[in-house]
CSV table of all heavy atoms in Angstrom, one decimal:
chain,number,residue,atom,x,y,z
M,140,ASP,N,-17.4,9.6,13.9
M,140,ASP,CA,-18.9,9.4,14.2
M,140,ASP,C,-19.6,9.4,13.0
M,140,ASP,O,-19.8,10.5,12.4
M,140,ASP,CB,-19.3,10.4,15.2
M,140,ASP,CG,-20.7,10.0,15.7
M,140,ASP,OD1,-21.1,8.8,15.6
M,140,ASP,OD2,-21.4,10.9,16.1
M,141,GLU,N,-20.0,8.3,12.4
M,141,GLU,CA,-20.7,8.3,11.1
M,141,GLU,C,-22.0,7.6,11.3
M,141,GLU,O,-22.1,6.7,12.2
M,141,GLU,CB,-19.9,7.6,10.1
M,141,GLU,CG,-18.8,8.4,9.6
M,141,GLU,CD,-18.0,7.6,8.4
M,141,GLU,OE1,-17.7,6.4,8.5
M,141,GLU,OE2,-18.1,8.2,7.3
M,142,SER,N,-23.0,7.9,10.4
M,142,SER,CA,-24.2,7.2,10.6
M,142,SER,C,-24.3,6.0,9.6
M,142,SER,O,-25.4,5.3,9.6
M,142,SER,CB,-25.4,8.2,10.3
M,142,SER,OG,-25.1,8.9,9.0
M,143,LEU,N,-23.2,5.7,8.9
M,143,LEU,CA,-23.3,4.6,8.0
M,143,LEU,C,-23.3,3.2,8.7
M,143,LEU,O,-22.7,3.1,9.8
M,143,LEU,CB,-22.1,4.7,7.1
M,143,LEU,CG,-22.0,5.8,6.1
M,143,LEU,CD1,-20.8,5.6,5.2
M,143,LEU,CD2,-23.2,6.0,5.3
M,144,THR,N,-24.0,2.3,8.2
M,144,THR,CA,-23.9,1.0,8.8
M,144,THR,C,-22.7,0.3,8.4
M,144,THR,O,-21.9,0.7,7.4
M,144,THR,CB,-25.1,0.0,8.2
M,144,THR,OG1,-25.0,-0.1,6.8
M,144,THR,CG2,-26.5,0.7,8.4
M,145,PRO,N,-22.3,-0.8,9.0
M,145,PRO,CA,-21.1,-1.5,8.6
M,145,PRO,C,-21.1,-1.9,7.2
M,145,PRO,O,-20.1,-1.8,6.4
M,145,PRO,CB,-21.0,-2.7,9.5
M,145,PRO,CG,-21.7,-2.3,10.7
M,145,PRO,CD,-22.8,-1.3,10.3
M,146,ALA,N,-22.3,-2.4,6.7
M,146,ALA,CA,-22.4,-2.8,5.2
M,146,ALA,C,-22.1,-1.7,4.4
M,146,ALA,O,-21.6,-1.8,3.3
M,146,ALA,CB,-23.8,-3.4,5.0
M,147,GLU,N,-22.7,-0.5,4.6
M,147,GLU,CA,-22.5,0.8,3.9
M,147,GLU,C,-21.0,1.1,3.9
M,147,GLU,O,-20.4,1.5,2.8
M,147,GLU,CB,-23.4,1.9,4.4
M,147,GLU,CG,-24.8,1.7,4.0
M,147,GLU,CD,-25.7,2.7,4.7
M,147,GLU,OE1,-25.3,3.2,5.9
M,147,GLU,OE2,-26.8,2.9,4.3
M,148,LYS,N,-20.3,1.1,5.0
M,148,LYS,CA,-18.9,1.4,5.0
M,148,LYS,C,-18.2,0.4,4.2
M,148,LYS,O,-17.2,0.7,3.6
M,148,LYS,CB,-18.5,1.3,6.5
M,148,LYS,CG,-19.0,2.5,7.3
M,148,LYS,CD,-18.3,2.4,8.7
M,148,LYS,CE,-19.0,3.3,9.7
M,148,LYS,NZ,-18.5,3.2,11.1
M,149,ALA,N,-18.5,-0.9,4.3
M,149,ALA,CA,-17.8,-1.9,3.6
M,149,ALA,C,-17.9,-1.7,2.0
M,149,ALA,O,-17.0,-1.8,1.3
M,149,ALA,CB,-18.3,-3.3,3.9
M,150,ALA,N,-19.2,-1.2,1.7
M,150,ALA,CA,-19.4,-0.9,0.2
M,150,ALA,C,-18.6,0.3,-0.2
M,150,ALA,O,-17.9,0.2,-1.2
M,150,ALA,CB,-20.9,-0.7,0.0
M,151,ARG,N,-18.4,1.3,0.7
M,151,ARG,CA,-17.6,2.4,0.3
M,151,ARG,C,-16.2,2.0,0.2
M,151,ARG,O,-15.5,2.4,-0.7
M,151,ARG,CB,-17.8,3.5,1.4
M,151,ARG,CG,-17.1,4.8,1.1
M,151,ARG,CD,-17.3,5.8,2.2
M,151,ARG,NE,-16.9,5.3,3.5
M,151,ARG,CZ,-17.1,6.0,4.7
M,151,ARG,NH1,-17.9,7.1,4.6
M,151,ARG,NH2,-16.8,5.5,5.8
M,152,ALA,N,-15.7,1.2,1.2
M,152,ALA,CA,-14.3,0.8,1.1
M,152,ALA,C,-14.0,0.0,-0.1
M,152,ALA,O,-13.0,0.2,-0.8
M,152,ALA,CB,-14.0,-0.1,2.4
M,153,HIS,N,-15.0,-0.9,-0.5
M,153,HIS,CA,-14.7,-1.6,-1.8
M,153,HIS,C,-14.7,-0.7,-2.9
M,153,HIS,O,-13.9,-0.9,-3.9
M,153,HIS,CB,-15.9,-2.7,-1.9
M,153,HIS,CG,-15.6,-3.8,-2.9
M,153,HIS,ND1,-16.2,-4.1,-4.0
M,153,HIS,CD2,-14.4,-4.7,-2.9
M,153,HIS,CE1,-15.7,-5.0,-4.7
M,153,HIS,NE2,-14.5,-5.4,-4.0
M,154,ALA,N,-15.5,0.3,-2.9
M,154,ALA,CA,-15.5,1.4,-4.0
M,154,ALA,C,-14.2,2.0,-4.1
M,154,ALA,O,-13.6,2.3,-5.1
M,154,ALA,CB,-16.7,2.3,-3.9
M,155,ASN,N,-13.6,2.4,-2.9
M,155,ASN,CA,-12.3,3.0,-2.8
M,155,ASN,C,-11.2,2.1,-3.3
M,155,ASN,O,-10.3,2.6,-4.1
M,155,ASN,CB,-12.0,3.5,-1.5
M,155,ASN,CG,-12.8,4.6,-1.0
M,155,ASN,OD1,-13.4,5.3,-1.7
M,155,ASN,ND2,-13.0,4.7,0.3
M,156,VAL,N,-11.3,0.7,-3.0
M,156,VAL,CA,-10.3,-0.1,-3.6
M,156,VAL,C,-10.4,-0.2,-5.0
M,156,VAL,O,-9.4,-0.2,-5.8
M,156,VAL,CB,-10.6,-1.6,-2.9
M,156,VAL,CG1,-9.7,-2.6,-3.6
M,156,VAL,CG2,-10.3,-1.6,-1.5
M,157,ARG,N,-11.7,-0.3,-5.6
M,157,ARG,CA,-11.8,-0.3,-7.1
M,157,ARG,C,-11.2,0.8,-7.7
M,157,ARG,O,-10.6,0.8,-8.8
M,157,ARG,CB,-13.4,-0.5,-7.4
M,157,ARG,CG,-14.0,-1.9,-7.0
M,157,ARG,CD,-13.5,-2.9,-7.9
M,157,ARG,NE,-13.7,-2.6,-9.3
M,157,ARG,CZ,-14.9,-2.9,-10.0
M,157,ARG,NH1,-15.8,-3.5,-9.4
M,157,ARG,NH2,-15.1,-2.5,-11.3
M,158,ALA,N,-11.5,2.0,-7.1
M,158,ALA,CA,-10.9,3.3,-7.7
M,158,ALA,C,-9.3,3.2,-7.7
M,158,ALA,O,-8.8,3.7,-8.7
M,158,ALA,CB,-11.4,4.5,-6.9
M,159,PHE,N,-8.8,2.6,-6.7
M,159,PHE,CA,-7.3,2.5,-6.6
M,159,PHE,C,-6.9,1.5,-7.8
M,159,PHE,O,-5.9,1.8,-8.5
M,159,PHE,CB,-6.9,2.0,-5.2
M,159,PHE,CG,-5.4,1.8,-5.1
M,159,PHE,CD1,-4.5,2.8,-5.1
M,159,PHE,CD2,-5.0,0.6,-5.0
M,159,PHE,CE1,-3.2,2.7,-4.9
M,159,PHE,CE2,-3.6,0.2,-4.8
M,159,PHE,CZ,-2.7,1.3,-4.8
M,160,LEU,N,-7.7,0.4,-7.9
M,160,LEU,CA,-7.2,-0.6,-8.9
M,160,LEU,C,-7.3,0.1,-10.3
M,160,LEU,O,-6.5,-0.2,-11.1
M,160,LEU,CB,-8.1,-1.8,-8.9
M,160,LEU,CG,-7.9,-2.6,-7.5
M,160,LEU,CD1,-8.9,-3.8,-7.6
M,160,LEU,CD2,-6.5,-3.1,-7.3
Side-chain angles (χ1 to χ4, degrees):
D140 188 22
E141 281 189 309
S142 55
L143 296 186
T144 66
E147 287 167 336
K148 288 183 189 174
R151 181 178 59 190
H153 199 240
N155 291 338
V156 172
R157 289 288 305 270
F159 180 68
L160 295 178

